[in-house]
Every structure is written in structure tokens, then in C-alpha cells.
Amino acid sequence: MDIAEDGKQHLFTSGGGGALAERMGIEITEATAERVVGIMPVEGNTQPYGLLHGGASCVLAETLGSVGAVLHGRTVDRPFAVGVDINATHHKAARSGLVTGVAVPVHRGRAVATYEVVITDEGGDRVCTARITCLLRGA
């Protein structure tokens, strides 16, 4: 993922981090290297029992963490972020409404960036905690 100079504004007008994120209804509402926030509807992203699919939570987490990694990568001349590891713990089911993900850095180096992403439901309860690590590459 690369975000050109004018690309940060495009994040907000296009909804977020690429075709999959768009298909899942992810909307990025805040984006800096220090904090990336996005929302995603539960509806349309459920497993057969009507609960938010764990894979959907991972897509939200990877989208937000990757955006943060790209924004950090631009400061070290490595503006391309490639996810190399993601893990997630699912704490509580979400059945409806929107979930919100907040990604904050755990480590921001020259070659690797790691973000923790906390996903909560509309009541503020933690649904998932994820960690995404991205390799940073130059142009």
C-alpha cells in the first residue's frame, strides 16, 4: 500500500484502504502515523450464525494498521507497507451496528512497523484485539 501526497485526503473521500476494504464497508475517519481510526458495519460481514466474522475483524485491523505503517514509512523513505504478520483475539461477539477500530503503533522502525488495533462495538465493549506487522519498502 502506498499513499501519495494527496492520497491521505483520498483515504477519507474513498472510504479507506483498497477494494476489499471498500467491499466490506470500511471507512477511515482519522489517519496519522500515531493513530488510525476506522468504522465497519457488522451487517454484510457476518458468519453463518449472524455474528461479526473473525476474518472481517482481521481485514479491518490490517487495513488500519497498514495505513498507519504507510504514513510512518513515508517519514523514513519507505512508503510501501506489506503485511507480514497478523494475529487477533476475539473477545466478544458483535451482532449489529458498527464496529470501530483504533490502530496505534507498538513499534515504528526503518524496516518494520507494528500496530495494535482495538476493535469495539457501539457500546464501547472490546470485540477484538489484533496486532499487525508490516514490512516497509522503498520505491
Side-chain angles (χ1 to χ4, degrees):
M1 173 184 286
D2 177 32
I3 301 173
E5 285 302 317
D6 63 347
K8 191 170 170 184
Q9 181 57 40
H10 181 69
L11 285 172
F12 299 107
T13 58
S14 71
L20 179 58
E22 185 177 327
R23 244 179 264 129
M24 298 190 71
I26 295 172
E27 181 182 335
I28 295 174
T29 60
E30 179 183 333
T32 68
E34 293 76 29
R35 178 178 154 100
V36 181
V37 180
I39 57 173
M40 181 179 71
V42 172
E43 185 177 339
N45 293 316
T46 57
Q47 40 91 310
Y49 301 112
L51 308 174
L52 178 65
H53 195 291
S57 294
C58 288
V59 171
L60 177 59
E62 185 152 355
T63 299
L64 301 178
S66 294
V67 167
V70 166
L71 293 172
H72 164 67
R74 289 174 60 190
T75 69
V76 294
D77 293 325
R78 292 177 176 244
F80 296 95
V82 180
V84 294
D85 182 64
I86 187 166
N87 67 61
T89 301
H90 306 287
H91 305 289
K92 179 183 175 192
R95 292 178 169 77
S96 63
L98 296 172
V99 291
T100 300
V102 179
V104 296
V106 174
H107 170 78
R108 289 184 294 173
R110 179 154 170 73
V112 173
T114 300
Y115 281 76
E116 179 182 66
V117 184
V118 173
I119 300 171
T120 56
D121 62 17
E122 290 180 319
D125 292 328
R126 189 178 292 225
V127 172
C128 177
T129 303
R131 188 186 72 220
I132 166 84
T133 298
C134 294
L135 175 67
L136 303 176
R137 300 183 57 196

